[in-house]
Amino acid sequence: MIKTEDIMTTEVVTIRGSATVAEAVALMKERHLRSLIVEPRTENDPYGMITETDIVYKVGAYGKDSKQVRVYEIMTKPCIVVNPELGVEYVARLFANTGIRRAPVIKDKLLGIISITDILRKSDFVENPKSYFEMYCQEFPDALEARIYED
């Protein structure tokens, strides 16, 4: 099974929560990104995320001045995060069930970001689909059902 760490984007761009939305937009335009990971303020603080949708829906739609609005005011925090060892099929299901399009990949520290584009372009689930039972057997190889399946 392909894991998140196999297809995630490792070059992640972050921003401080105290930055202005104008700064975030400039960085997103410069780097051709649709989202930025918001850095935690302290060691125990969770990561956040600001997306182009947040900016359009929460700033642009209300005519707010992007130079006056701070990232922390409109970001999602805490955001849903993904373990790098999680199978891509599970990430796809997580995205489908929550309506998100991307998530930071974290295990003790920020390792990358995974998006629906990564899943579509880099995984093999379209060419090589697996049933729920096959995924279960891969995840729990010692289960009785998995042993029967192999026979």
Side-chain angles (χ1 to χ4, degrees):
M1 177 186 303
I2 295 178
K3 295 179 181 179
T4 298
E5 62 192 353
D6 299 328
I7 66 167
M8 69 183 182
T9 301
T10 56
E11 186 178 321
V12 182
V13 179
T14 64
I15 193 164
R16 297 173 332 281
S18 60
T20 66
V21 170
E23 292 172 311
V25 170
L27 185 56
M28 290 166 80
K29 283 182 178 181
E30 175 189 323
R31 302 293 290 272
H32 305 284
L33 299 170
R34 294 180 173 206
S35 65
L36 299 169
I37 304 297
V38 182
E39 300 165 358
R41 291 177 298 170
T42 65
E43 189 176 307
N44 295 326
D45 195 29
Y47 283 93
M49 182 175 287
I50 184 169
T51 67
E52 61 188 0
T53 305
D54 293 326
I55 296 165
V56 171
Y57 289 6
K58 298 173 184 175
V59 178
Y62 293 98
K64 294 180 180 178
D65 183 354
S66 64
K67 294 177 186 134
Q68 300 299 318
V69 179
R70 301 289 173 179
V71 168
Y72 72 82
E73 296 177 72
I74 67 166
M75 69 182 183
T76 300
K77 186 175 181 176
C79 57
I80 294 172
V81 300
V82 175
N83 184 300
E85 296 157 8
L86 191 62
V88 172
E89 290 88 353
Y90 294 106
V91 177
R93 193 170 325 132
L94 173 68
F95 285 8
N97 291 337
T98 60
I100 63 173
R101 302 176 58 87
R102 60 194 58 84
V105 180
I106 297 174
K107 186 168 185 180
D108 300 325
K109 65 179 185 169
L110 180 64
L111 300 174
I113 188 167
I114 186 164
S115 69
I116 58 172
T117 303
D118 293 324
I119 294 170
L120 187 61
R121 290 185 181 166
K122 301 174 187 175
S123 72
D124 68 345
F125 77 93
V126 173
E127 297 85 9
N128 186 21
K130 295 177 183 68
S131 70
Y132 286 126
F133 186 67
E134 286 175 298
M135 289 189 299
Y136 173 82
C137 291
Q138 287 177 340
E139 186 173 356
F140 303 104
D142 295 331
L144 179 61
E145 299 86 357
R147 290 189 301 245
I148 293 170
Y149 181 70
E150 290 178 359
D151 292 340

